[in-house]
Amino acid sequence: MARIVVCGAGASGLTTALLLAGDGHEVAVIERDPMEAPAPSHAWDAWERRGVNQFRLPHLLLPRWRHEMDAALPQVSAGLRAAGAYCASFLGPFREMVPDPERFDIVTARRPVLDAVLAACVGDCANVTIRRGVALAGLQVGTSAAPGIPNVVGVVTEAGEAIPADLVVIATGRRSPFGRWLADIGARPPHEEIEDSGFVYYGRHFRSGDGSPLDKIIGMKDYGSVSLLALPADNGAVGVGIIGTSADKALLPLRQEPVWERVLAALPDGDYYLEAEPISPLVFMGGLEDRYRRFVVDDQPVVTGAVAVGDAWAATNPSLGRGISFATMHCLLLRDAIRDHLEDPYQLALAFDGATETTLTPWYRATLWHDRHKLADVQAEVTDGTTDMSSRQDDQGWTTFKQLSQLAFSDLDLATRMVAGGTWFAETPEQLLADPDLTAKAAGHEPGGGHEGPSRSELLDLING
Ligand SMILES: Cc1cc2nc3c(=O)[nH]c(=O)nc-3n(C[C@H](O)[C@H](O)[C@H](O)COP(=O)(O)OP(=O)(O)OC[C@H]3O[C@@H](n4cnc5c(N)ncnc54)[C@H](O)[C@@H]3O)c2cc1C
């Protein structure tokens, strides 16, 4: 069995630790944020996590996450249920009409509660240690497993302590320093794609007085240049976000609570949340990048002995709620690659890259496809129809996809396929659009235009008081 160092105790780091501990490895998780994880019931009030910027923004866990967890780490699912997690179906009224309806159920909990449940499960593993308050500064190299490719044999902390490892797992999130650390050891640069996602989040949590769910809305609704995201969470809490684009500077006053509340009150059902008790200040998050890194370049790993998982591999604009589900699938792919290739770091790097490329990269690209078109639609609202078409190479496909999404509300087969596509990662939009039966359905559908919320000029009036 191996000594494995996991850098970062976010969702990916803790999931990796649990999976690898389950296979009998000795796992040391190193986390920069100093505070010990509180019990899930205290996590919201007590836990400060500077290392995870989105710690107090709404999170949901997709059906695929629930399925993978139930199968691989049922103690996490059980811990979340015990912590009061909320469960709902994306199928709405269709839920009662499908076999195995739980296939389509989502789980939600405030992010501190999720991380505290994961940390509690890790705490139950005899072969995992977590050291918090230790910042890592780089990698240690030893004898190369292949000519010209640095082989990592441990990590070095900011205080200069060397921690040896048979394998280093980088789970340091979307702003991961792994690329810099690779340059420091003379590795070739990974392939990297970065662009501004273009979306901004203005979010806040509320709670019902009696702990009953605040679930009038589950998910996201679009109102022209803004969207409303409402995610009922554990113990009567709900995360509510107003989402806009970073190019839309007129929205900036939404950072002020009275402005945010005024706009929320004007969105359909928005006032429902304002009657509840606010349990957080308003949190703003922008500057989110879509970022993808590949650590095999020209068919050769850039490094052996160190691999990146979760957001340290790829991160997207989060409005489809896929990040932790992707990360969990990625951790499972890593576990399998380690099972097959632990003794051969070169083959391990290639096998993990191959599995990532086959299973997850198409979904990274599909998520970008969705976001780029959505961004262009929102920009069209902001600029009154004069949208920049350069980001939309595939307008007919996007139009058809939106028609199918609308039709899915009244078509059981389509609903299950679209929900399975987007939340189980069963079929990418490209695969759905290649089905002539689906495109024929869409062709006969007149897309509904407009929306119930305030018009753009009414929105600007609300913002400007
Ligand atoms: C606004 C927003 C909303 C989101 N909503 C959802 C959602 O609804 N559903 C969903 O599935 N996903 C969502 N996501 C994405 C999700 O938050 C990420 O996919 C998830 O956090 C990835 O986990 P991670 O462990 O890879 O990284 P992180 O959670 O970022 O954890 C990285 C950890 O590494 C530590 N670290 C960093 N550098 C060092 C260092 N040098 N030394 C030691 N430790 C270090 C950090 O302190 C941190 O604890 C959202 C993201 C954002 C931005």
Side-chain angles (χ1 to χ4, degrees):
M1 289 297 118
R3 280 171 312 173
I4 297 178
V5 167
V6 175
C7 309
S12 309
L14 296 177
T15 303
T16 303
L18 286 169
L19 290 170
L20 299 185
D23 278 2
H25 301 293
E26 285 296 324
V27 184
V29 183
I30 314 291
E31 166 59 46
R32 183 174 50 199
D33 284 346
M35 214 180 135
E36 291 301 322
S41 55
H42 289 87
W44 178 259
D45 292 327
W47 205 0
E48 284 305 323
R49 289 290 303 280
R50 292 171 61 98
V52 183
N53 282 356
Q54 65 273 27
F55 205 50
R56 291 187 190 279
L57 282 163
H59 274 74
L60 90 156
L61 302 161
L62 294 175
R64 179 66 180 262
W65 181 90
R66 204 186 53 82
H67 167 80
E68 299 292 2
M69 277 295 168
D70 284 352
L73 298 170
Q75 69 272 37
V76 176
S77 306
L80 265 184
R81 277 195 299 277
Y86 176 81
C87 189
S89 178
F90 269 157
L91 278 187
F94 287 142
R95 188 179 190 279
E96 309 313 322
M97 301 177 203
V98 296
D100 305 328
E102 55 287 344
R103 279 181 303 148
F104 299 101
D105 287 351
I106 56 162
V107 181
T108 59
R110 289 167 290 174
R111 177 68 192 266
V113 176
L114 168 66
D115 280 21
V117 167
L118 286 166
C121 294
V122 167
D124 290 338
C125 296
N127 49 341
V128 184
T129 53
I130 303 192
R131 289 176 62 190
R132 296 187 187 269
V134 178
L136 292 167
L139 305 165
Q140 277 198 307
V141 285
T143 311
S144 289
I149 301 175
N151 186 39
V152 171
V153 294
V155 289
V156 185
T157 70
E158 272 183 4
E161 180 191 356
I163 305 173
D166 299 316
L167 178 69
V168 172
V169 179
I170 308 289
T172 40
R174 56 169 60 227
R175 287 171 300 155
S176 171
F178 190 32
R180 182 161 40 82
W181 293 352
L182 287 173
D184 290 347
I185 58 170
R188 288 178 303 143
H191 169 81
E192 186 160 36
E193 297 167 24
I194 309 180
E195 54 183 305
D196 185 349
S197 81
F199 290 96
V200 287
Y201 292 76
Y202 305 84
R204 190 169 195 192
H205 277 77
F206 297 85
R207 182 163 46 207
S208 65
D210 59 2
S212 56
L214 291 168
D215 54 2
K216 200 158 190 175
I217 304 174
I218 303 173
M220 190 144 78
K221 295 201 166 178
D222 297 331
Y223 298 110
S225 55
V226 292
S227 302
L228 173 63
L229 173 71
L231 289 178
D234 60 281
N235 299 298
V238 59
V240 181
I242 297 177
I243 304 173
T245 70
S246 46
D248 190 359
K249 301 297 177 208
L251 298 186
L252 281 176
L254 277 174
R255 293 182 194 200
Q256 299 156 30
E257 269 175 25
V259 178
W260 187 85
E261 286 181 0
R262 216 159 46 227
V263 171
L264 179 62
L267 297 175
D269 291 324
D271 51 0
Y272 169 74
Y273 300 101
L274 292 170
E275 285 163 19
E277 178 202 358
I279 55 168
S280 76
L282 183 60
V283 179
F284 165 77
M285 193 162 176
L288 290 167
E289 286 168 339
D290 295 313
R291 179 191 280 255
Y292 158 84
R293 301 179 184 93
R294 187 170 180 196
F295 301 92
V296 168
V297 176
D298 298 333
D299 301 327
Q300 296 277 340
V302 299
V303 69
T304 58
V307 289
V309 290
D311 278 16
W313 159 69
T316 56
N317 161 53
S319 57
L320 295 176
R322 292 176 172 170
I324 295 176
S325 299
F326 282 171
T328 301
M329 290 165 70
H330 206 206
C331 299
L332 285 160
L333 295 177
L334 176 62
R335 179 202 61 185
D336 293 347
I338 292 173
R339 281 181 179 171
D340 292 343
H341 301 287
L342 179 63
E343 302 307 327
D344 185 341
Y346 183 83
Q347 286 306 328
L348 172 56
L350 287 181
F352 183 45
D353 170 74
T356 304
E357 285 300 299
T358 309
T359 310
L360 283 176
T361 301
W363 279 101
Y364 173 82
R365 304 225 177 277
T367 307
L368 252 60
W369 176 86
H370 184 277
D371 286 349
R372 292 288 147 255
H373 285 87
K374 175 122 193 243
L375 190 66
D377 280 357
V378 177
Q379 281 304 107
E381 290 278 340
V382 174
T383 57
D384 211 8
T386 54
T387 189
D388 171 12
M389 303 297 278
S390 59
S391 59
R392 311 173 73 181
Q393 289 131 9
D394 169 22
D395 274 8
Q396 187 49 50
W398 176 241
T399 304
T400 307
F401 187 77
K402 285 195 294 186
Q403 287 168 323
L404 292 173
S405 304
Q406 285 179 7
L407 275 171
F409 285 101
S410 54
D411 179 325
L412 174 62
D413 289 340
L414 189 54
T416 50
R417 244 177 114 176
M418 297 292 283
V419 175
T423 70
W424 260 88
F425 315 124
E427 290 178 288
T428 60
E430 198 182 353
Q431 288 166 326
L432 288 167
L433 293 170
D435 181 339
D437 289 344
L438 290 194
T439 44
K441 263 189 193 187
H445 174 67
E446 197 59 45
H451 56 79
E452 295 167 58
S455 67
R456 175 73 182 170
S457 63
E458 286 164 344
L459 177 74
L460 295 182
D461 286 347
L462 284 163
I463 287 176
N464 296 320

